[in-house]
Amino acid sequence: MINHPQDALYATMCSYLGLSARDVAEIGGFSERFARDLLAGRRQFPADTKKAIFELHNIFQSLVKAGKDDVLEGQTGFYIYRTNEQLRASPVGQIWPGAFIGPYRAAMFEVWRWAAQDKFKPVQLAFAEVPDTE
């Protein structure tokens, strides 16, 4: 089977957003094995999964923008969640149904990098202790 040229783009977007095969399987509603095949370029991404990944990238961009705005307003720290479940139970997860830690962490790293390099503002990233979902 010859994959559509854009399949490499979507596999790369998944890596950029920090999505695991388990995350991609949840997004697409298929098995982790199928998701691993997608990420390895052995299968073609379903159209609805491509759309969902693109939407996740838009959410990522919104998280970065919101984080930068928070830094400009004086916020000096952001919580980093350990699991999808912990993120989903958090205030961020309440406004982002189906949240994934990969895109969230990538966005917070981008905010941290921007604050440190471009704005010379110290911003801390700290693991959240609550909500405890274990």
Side-chain angles (χ1 to χ4, degrees), residues 8 43 79 100 103:
R43 301 223 183 222
Y79 286 117
F100 293 93

Side-chain angles (χ1 to χ4, degrees), residues 2 7 10-11 24 27 30 32 43 49-50 52 55 66-67 74 82 85-86 90 99 101 103 108 120 128-129 132 134:
I2 297 175
D7 286 343
Y10 286 95
V24 175
I27 290 165
F30 37 71
E32 283 186 54
R43 301 223 183 222
T49 305
K50 288 179 181 181
E55 289 171 2
R82 290 178 168 85
E85 293 74 23
Q86 187 186 36
S90 75
I101 60 170
M108 293 304 97
F120 304 104
E129 297 302 323
D132 185 7
E134 296 182 298

Side-chain angles (χ1 to χ4, degrees), residues 2-134:
I2 297 175
N3 286 331
H4 188 276
Q6 294 251 331
D7 286 343
L9 169 67
Y10 286 95
T12 303
M13 284 177 67
C14 289
S15 295
Y16 177 74
L17 293 172
L19 295 170
S20 68
R22 179 177 289 168
D23 295 337
V24 175
E26 181 181 330
I27 290 165
F30 37 71
S31 72
E32 283 186 54
R33 181 177 180 168
F34 185 80
R36 285 190 300 274
D37 285 347
L38 291 173
L39 295 171
R42 290 187 292 266
R43 301 223 183 222
Q44 189 170 353
F45 275 81
D48 60 336
T49 305
K50 288 179 181 181
K51 182 180 179 197
I53 292 167
F54 189 79
E55 289 171 2
L56 270 175
H57 185 261
N58 288 339
I59 291 168
F60 163 83
Q61 290 176 317
S62 296
L63 289 168
V64 171
K65 183 184 181 321
K68 287 178 178 181
D69 290 346
D70 288 344
V71 169
L72 292 174
E73 292 174 7
Q75 187 167 336
T76 60
F78 294 92
Y79 286 117
I80 300 301
Y81 301 97
R82 290 178 168 85
T83 65
N84 287 339
E85 293 74 23
Q86 187 186 36
L87 173 59
R88 291 170 183 170
S90 75
V92 174
Q94 299 303 308
I95 58 173
W96 178 20
F100 293 93
I101 60 170
Y104 177 78
R105 285 181 175 185
M108 293 304 97
F109 178 77
E110 183 60 27
V111 170
W112 175 86
R113 188 210 53 78
W114 168 82
Q117 292 179 355
D118 296 351
K119 297 297 176 188
F120 304 104
K121 293 183 181 239
V123 170
Q124 297 295 315
L125 302 179
F127 279 111
E129 297 302 323
V130 291
D132 185 7
T133 59
E134 296 182 298

